[in-house]
């Protein structure tokens, strides 16, 4: 559990740094694009809101490897963030060179207390 908390804290710091340096790419999946279309939000606004709201306590799971990135070490971190009047599922791919936001949409199920790993 302590390693998870450390990894989640490090991921949040790295994501904020990559965002500020312009090294956070946005590669949204279909579900995320539908959410943006439905709400009329721009992906830039959503990325900004997600990064500003991100906290270690919202860590859901990860790091897990990304198998289709053989040329570089990429890990996945997932968060459940309370944003826009609900729990939002957010998935980031993080490497040494930068990060990608891959998924941003309402959580498909209501999170229970097991999602609140850290306080």
């Amino acid at each position: 559990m302590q390693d998870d908390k450390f990894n989640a804290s490090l991921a949040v710091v790295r994501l904020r740094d990559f965002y500020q340096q312009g090294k956070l790419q946005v590669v949204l999946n279909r579900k995320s694009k539908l959410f943006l279309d439905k709400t009329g939000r721009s992906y830039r606004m959503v990325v900004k809101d997600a990064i500003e709201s991100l906290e270690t306590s919202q860590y859901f799971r990860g790091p897990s490897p990304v198998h289709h990135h053989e040329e570089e070490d990429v890990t996945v971190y997932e968060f459940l963030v309370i944003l826009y009047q609900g729990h939002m599922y957010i998935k980031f791919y993080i490497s040494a060179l930068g990060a990608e936001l891959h998924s941003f949409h309402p959580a498909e199920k209501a999170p229970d207390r097991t999602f609140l790993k850290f306080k």
Side-chain angles (χ1 to χ4, degrees):
M1 182 73 95
Q2 187 61 30
D3 286 343
D4 286 345
K5 186 173 184 177
F6 175 79
N7 286 331
S9 297
L10 183 58
V12 169
V13 168
R14 291 181 72 206
L15 287 165
R16 286 192 176 133
D17 284 347
F18 287 142
Y19 176 74
Q20 291 172 353
Q21 296 171 22
K23 294 181 180 179
L24 177 64
Q25 302 297 311
V26 179
V27 185
L28 295 176
N29 64 15
R30 180 176 166 10
K31 200 180 297 186
S32 301
K33 290 175 184 175
L34 289 172
F35 168 75
L36 292 175
D37 288 346
K38 180 180 176 183
T39 62
R41 291 185 171 95
S42 72
Y43 79 88
R44 285 185 177 93
M45 182 179 88
V46 168
V47 170
K48 180 181 179 291
D49 292 346
I51 292 296
E52 288 177 354
S53 300
L54 204 58
E55 297 292 336
T56 301
S57 62
Q58 298 161 330
Y59 164 79
F60 173 41
R61 63 181 167 210
S64 57
V66 178
H67 301 291
H68 59 273
H69 281 264
E70 294 84 18
E71 70 282 355
E72 69 177 299
D73 187 21
V74 178
T75 51
V76 177
Y77 285 85
E78 299 170 64
F79 294 85
L80 288 174
V81 177
I82 297 175
L83 195 60
Y84 309 135
Q85 292 81 43
H87 282 92
M88 302 300 294
Y89 169 80
I90 306 174
K91 181 191 287 186
F92 294 98
Y93 287 17
I94 304 175
S95 75
L97 303 175
E100 297 176 354
L101 172 64
H102 273 255
S103 192
F104 183 95
H105 53 79
E108 293 164 331
K109 331 186 231 188
D112 60 24
R113 301 299 298 169
T114 62
F115 291 122
L116 304 175
K117 291 184 176 189
F118 316 123
K119 285 292 177 194

